[in-house]
């Protein structure tokens, strides 16, 4: 009987922890996203990408801003990332 109670308590604690961690946001580091964007945009003449330091990723993905520079100037662009990691500019 004690083993059964311990097993049920363990299962309940594991389920509670899973629910807690499933609801927390994931935070991506800006420098990692910058490196990925630089690989994508380098062929288009982009010389520098500077993104937000912390990019929260929720259930529907992420929305963040980056300053993109190229010869002749730069601009601030809003990007979206879906849950599969595909990035697109708004």
């Amino acid at each position: 009987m004690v083993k059964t109670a311990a097993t049920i308590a363990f299962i309940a604690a594991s389920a509670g922890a899973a629910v807690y961690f499933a609801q927390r946001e994931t935070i991506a580091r800006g420098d990692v996203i910058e490196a990925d964007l630089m690989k994508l945009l380098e062929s288009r003449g982009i010389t520098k990408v500077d993104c937000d330091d912390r990019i929260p990723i929720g259930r529907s993905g992420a929305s963040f801003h980056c300053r993109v520079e190229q010869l002749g100037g730069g601009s601030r662009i809003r990007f979206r990332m879906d849950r599969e990691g595909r990035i697109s500019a708004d």
Side-chain angles (χ1 to χ4, degrees):
M1 178 130 160
V2 174
K3 288 182 182 181
T4 303
T7 302
I8 291 172
F10 175 77
I11 292 170
S14 297
V19 168
Y20 170 74
F21 285 114
Q23 292 179 354
R24 291 185 56 196
E25 275 186 332
T26 301
I27 304 293
R29 290 182 17 205
D31 58 342
V32 173
I33 301 297
E34 290 168 11
D36 289 344
L37 281 174
M38 194 63 201
K39 288 178 193 174
L40 294 173
L41 301 174
E42 203 168 31
S43 64
R44 297 181 181 178
I46 302 300
T47 58
K48 184 177 180 185
V49 178
D50 185 27
C51 297
D52 299 334
D53 290 336
R54 295 170 43 96
I55 300 170
I57 303 172
R59 282 184 237 149
S60 60
S63 178
F64 57 96
H65 291 90
C66 296
R67 177 155 178 77
V68 178
E69 295 180 12
Q70 59 187 6
L71 295 175
S75 59
R76 185 170 162 86
I77 301 175
R78 181 178 170 194
F79 290 93
R80 290 186 188 272
M81 181 171 55
D82 64 15
R83 291 297 292 175
E84 285 76 39
R86 290 185 297 263
I87 299 175
S88 60
D90 282 350

